[in-house]
Amino acid sequence: MASKYDLPKRLFDFSIRVIKEVRNLSDSKEYRVISYQVLKSATSVGANFEEAQGAVSKADFANKIGISLKEIRETNYWIRIVMAISLPNEEWTKLEKESEEIIKILGSIYNKTSQKK
């Protein structure tokens, strides 16, 4: 597991953990829709964070971090849906907690970089 201070690795590992847990979900119609949504949003968090690292301006950086923040909030929503309709699962509970921590981290970065001076 990534150091809590190595955010790029932490986001990558989070995506991988979500992918692995989605593989264990039912193949029923509702789970296929939820699986698609959570996979898209969870993997987008880290992808947009990586794009932010190559930003051409402070505004571009803030925009990409803002997108990452939106995506992790969406991921948290889908994780809570999975938890509400599934049997208790320790890994989904850990993923929910991790997504909440990532929301706080990205929110802090966004707030600091998007402020007008």
Side-chain angles (χ1 to χ4, degrees):
M1 186 175 252
S3 158
K4 68 184 209 175
Y5 302 109
D6 184 359
L7 189 54
K9 177 148 178 38
R10 190 170 175 178
L11 296 175
F12 182 86
D13 290 349
F14 176 78
S15 295
I16 298 303
R17 289 171 57 206
V18 169
I19 291 167
K20 288 180 177 179
E21 278 310 301
V22 165
R23 289 177 179 164
N24 296 323
L25 294 176
S26 165
D27 194 36
S28 64
K29 183 177 180 177
E30 66 275 12
Y31 277 108
R32 281 194 303 271
V33 171
I34 294 164
S35 295
Y36 177 74
Q37 294 293 342
V38 74
L39 287 171
K40 275 181 45 175
S41 61
T43 56
S44 181
V45 178
N48 278 287
F49 186 83
E50 289 294 330
E51 282 190 44
Q53 304 314 298
V56 295
S57 67
K58 186 176 177 181
D60 186 30
F61 179 82
N63 181 55
K64 294 292 191 261
I65 294 296
I67 294 169
S68 288
L69 179 56
K70 285 194 235 182
E71 295 292 341
I72 192 62
R73 291 181 63 84
E74 180 182 344
T75 303
N76 177 269
Y77 173 82
W78 290 117
I79 289 171
R80 289 182 289 127
I81 294 278
V82 168
M83 292 172 65
I85 65 172
S86 304
L87 294 172
N89 177 301
E90 184 179 346
E91 186 60 20
W92 283 111
T93 301
K94 289 177 183 177
L95 287 167
E96 180 190 26
K97 182 178 185 299
E98 177 71 350
S99 69
E100 290 168 353
E101 290 180 17
I102 294 169
I103 288 169
K104 290 176 187 170
I105 294 166
L106 291 176
S108 176
I109 294 169
Y110 180 75
N111 288 336
K112 289 175 184 169
T113 60
S114 64
Q115 292 174 351
K116 306 227 184 307
K117 291 193 175 182

